[in-house]
Amino acid sequence: MNLQTNDFDLFDVPMRFEQDRAQLDARWKALQREAHPDRFAAEGAAAQRVAMQWSVRINEAYQRLKDPLKRAAYLCELLGAPVQAENNTAMPAAFLMQQMEWRENLDDTESAQGLEALADQVASEQRRVQKELARLLDQAQDPVQAVGQVRALMFIERFTQEVNAKLDRLT
C-alpha cells in the first residue's frame, strides 16, 4: 500500500459518490487490523511508527468516504473541480431564496412541532441534493456542476445543526 494513494483505491471501492456503507465499514475494520501497530511490536519502533501512520491514513480516508459531504467534495477535487467554499459562495437565486425562507422559519418558530416540520423539509432537500450529486458525479461525470451542489449540502448540514440545537433547547 502507498500512503499517497487516493481514498477510493485505499479502500478498494469504485471512485464514485454512491458507496455501500457496510462495505466501507468492513473494509475499514480489515485495514485497521492489517495496520494495527501492535501487530508490528516485534519489528521495533520504526515499524510501529509506520503502522501508526497507516492507521491515521486509514482513519482519515474512512472519515472522508463515509460522509456524503466530505466524499462529494473529495471527489470533485480528485476530478479537477475543487469546491473552494471559502472563496466561492455563489449560489443559484432559488437556493438563496429557500435559505432565506428556512432562516425566517427557524427564527419565527417556537414550537418543537414546527421545528420538526422544518427539519423534515431540510432533510428532504438534503436527500434531493445527495441524489443530484450522485447523478452529477456518477452518471454525468460533471464535477464542475457538482461543486454547486456540494456548497448547497454544506449549507444544509450547517442549517440542520442550527435547527437541532434550537429543538434541543425547546425540549
Side-chain angles (χ1 to χ4, degrees):
M1 290 192 288
N2 177 350
L3 281 172
Q4 303 305 316
T5 191
N6 75 53
D7 297 350
F8 298 95
D9 289 344
L10 177 62
F11 272 68
D12 196 27
V13 295
M15 197 167 111
R16 53 184 292 120
F17 178 74
E18 296 218 82
Q19 293 292 328
D20 178 344
R21 178 63 188 265
Q23 182 182 4
L24 289 174
D25 292 348
R27 183 68 176 139
W28 174 73
K29 287 176 186 172
L31 287 168
Q32 282 296 5
R33 275 192 304 276
E34 286 178 38
H36 197 281
D38 289 350
R39 289 188 51 157
F40 300 90
E43 295 180 36
Q48 283 185 301
R49 276 193 302 277
V50 170
M52 183 59 76
Q53 287 177 323
W54 268 109
S55 185
V56 168
R57 172 70 179 92
I58 291 163
N59 283 331
E60 289 172 346
Y62 179 63
Q63 294 305 314
R64 262 189 302 270
L65 292 178
K66 75 176 186 171
D67 181 272
L69 173 58
K70 291 176 184 177
R71 184 173 59 246
Y74 182 64
L75 257 173
C76 287
E77 187 173 319
L78 287 176
L79 297 171
V83 175
Q84 298 176 330
E86 61 281 350
N87 300 331
N88 185 355
T89 58
M91 296 298 292
F95 188 75
L96 293 173
M97 292 301 292
Q98 185 178 47
Q99 286 181 37
M100 288 175 32
E101 182 180 313
W102 284 347
R103 177 92 29 223
E104 287 174 8
N105 195 347
L106 178 62
D107 291 343
D108 295 344
T109 302
E110 293 302 325
S111 72
Q113 185 178 15
L115 288 173
E116 287 169 357
L118 178 59
D120 289 345
Q121 284 178 17
V122 175
S124 177
E125 180 64 8
Q126 183 177 31
R127 287 188 298 276
R128 188 200 66 73
V129 169
Q130 288 177 352
K131 284 181 184 176
E132 181 63 4
L133 279 166
R135 186 189 72 74
L136 289 168
L137 290 168
D138 297 346
Q139 296 161 12
Q141 303 285 308
D142 191 348
V144 173
Q145 288 297 313
V147 164
Q149 295 300 308
V150 170
R151 287 196 309 270
L153 192 55
M154 288 172 152
F155 169 81
I156 290 168
E157 288 197 2
R158 280 192 308 269
F159 189 75
T160 297
Q161 291 172 353
E162 291 178 42
V163 171
N164 289 337
K166 187 169 182 179
L167 192 55
D168 287 347
R169 288 191 303 270
L170 289 178
T171 54

